[in-house]
Amino acid sequence: MEWSKEANESLSKVPFFVRKRVKKRVEEEAASCGASKVRLEHVQACKQKYLKNMEDEVKGYEVETCFGTSGCPNRAIISDDLCERIEKRFSFRNLKKFLKERVKGPLKMHHEFRVSVSDCPNACSRPQIVDLGFIGACRPAVTEQVCTQCGACGEVCKEGAISLKGDGVVIDSSRCLSCGKCIMECPTGTLKEDMKGYRILLGGKLGRHPQLGKELPGIYEPDDAVEMVDMCLDHYQQNCKEGERFGEILNRTGSDWIMEKTLCKEK
């Protein structure tokens, strides 16, 4: 649906973590009024309803993704059904009911358990600042194919993780973010895909005491990533006292439990 300039400016002031949901509600508001274009009055009307009945909007969790499925050329992995599979795991939990039993007072958006999936290290959907974040990864490896020393791999690597030494290629794993760009640029097959999946971050959050998510070691295949969701939700529901963020729970309990149960495929 088309938006007026004023309506768009008003939407841009909405916190990013609920902006997508608010936009949908505003368009529904405009459609219910028989409008073909979203105007400022629709945004304002929806805002009032939203603030007065926020608990009605809370479903207990939110799963977000980047623009990868729309054809982004930076995708390190293509797993278009991952968000749907994660959503199904949440649907069995009835987290809204769970939170209402823990939270004193009405539920707010910040009580929801948030998951974010990005298909590459550009991380457009901000997986570093949510309860559980996924970053697409494609780790390179050096093959026995002769390197022509063209330098294409080094030129495309923004992290400076690749260098040419002697007749070969050297990858600095401490710098590599597993974006997979070097593999696509290599004309000789000297670089190949070693492992493809997701890097996983736990416990990121904003608020009064913001923190970035702590990254688990290794790269996880989609099936393992989905299982990680269940592990984290189990721990969250077992240790959540008052609707606090997952990061606060991990600060209190530590993360040794996840390291013991991990399905990490790191080699």
Side-chain angles (χ1 to χ4, degrees), residues 4-204:
S4 70
K5 179 181 178 181
E6 295 77 12
N8 257 321
E9 289 176 350
S10 182
L11 180 68
S12 69
K13 298 175 183 178
V14 174
F16 72 86
F17 55 88
V18 293
R19 193 174 300 155
K20 186 185 297 185
R21 194 180 302 186
V22 170
K23 182 179 181 181
K24 180 181 178 182
R25 292 292 182 268
V26 172
E27 291 182 343
E28 290 174 352
E29 175 73 20
S32 69
C33 297
S36 58
K37 183 177 184 178
V38 175
R39 301 190 182 281
L40 183 59
E41 55 263 32
H42 301 132
V43 179
Q44 293 173 334
C46 190
K47 179 180 178 181
Q48 292 303 313
K49 293 179 181 178
Y50 199 78
L51 291 176
K52 291 180 180 179
N53 304 290
M54 186 178 293
E55 186 166 275
D56 294 340
E57 298 290 333
V58 175
K59 63 178 181 179
Y61 67 92
E62 182 68 18
V63 181
E64 300 175 302
T65 186
C66 64
F67 298 109
T69 54
S70 62
C72 177
N74 295 315
R75 303 178 81 183
I77 182 172
I78 298 176
S79 182
D80 292 341
D81 67 340
L82 180 62
C83 285
E84 181 181 349
R85 294 174 66 189
I86 292 174
E87 287 262 8
K88 288 182 178 179
R89 297 295 176 117
F90 275 97
S91 66
F92 294 119
R93 298 270 177 166
N94 197 352
L95 282 188
K96 183 169 184 175
K97 180 176 182 296
F98 170 80
L99 286 170
K100 289 185 75 171
E101 294 171 351
R102 298 286 191 288
V103 176
K104 298 177 181 178
L107 296 182
K108 305 292 185 182
M109 289 299 178
H110 66 264
H111 290 128
E112 292 186 319
F113 193 102
R114 307 190 71 82
V115 176
S116 179
V117 179
S118 284
D119 290 339
C120 81
N122 288 341
C124 297
S125 58
R126 303 178 179 90
Q128 304 92 337
I129 53 174
V130 295
D131 299 296
L132 184 55
F134 297 90
I135 300 177
C138 182
R139 186 167 62 193
V142 180
T143 72
E144 296 181 355
Q145 293 295 322
V146 176
C147 175
T148 61
Q149 302 286 289
C150 69
C153 56
E155 290 177 7
V156 77
C157 181
K158 296 180 179 180
E159 279 60 51
I162 296 182
S163 58
L164 302 178
K165 291 187 178 180
D167 296 328
V169 181
V170 176
I171 301 173
D172 184 345
S173 59
S174 66
R175 292 187 175 187
C176 179
L177 295 182
S178 300
C179 68
K181 289 287 188 181
C182 59
I183 301 172
M184 292 186 281
E185 290 295 319
C186 180
T188 60
T190 304
L191 294 176
K192 70 171 184 177
E193 174 189 311
D194 179 36
M195 188 167 192
K196 183 177 286 189
Y198 291 92
R199 295 159 51 201
I200 298 181
L201 295 85
L202 306 181

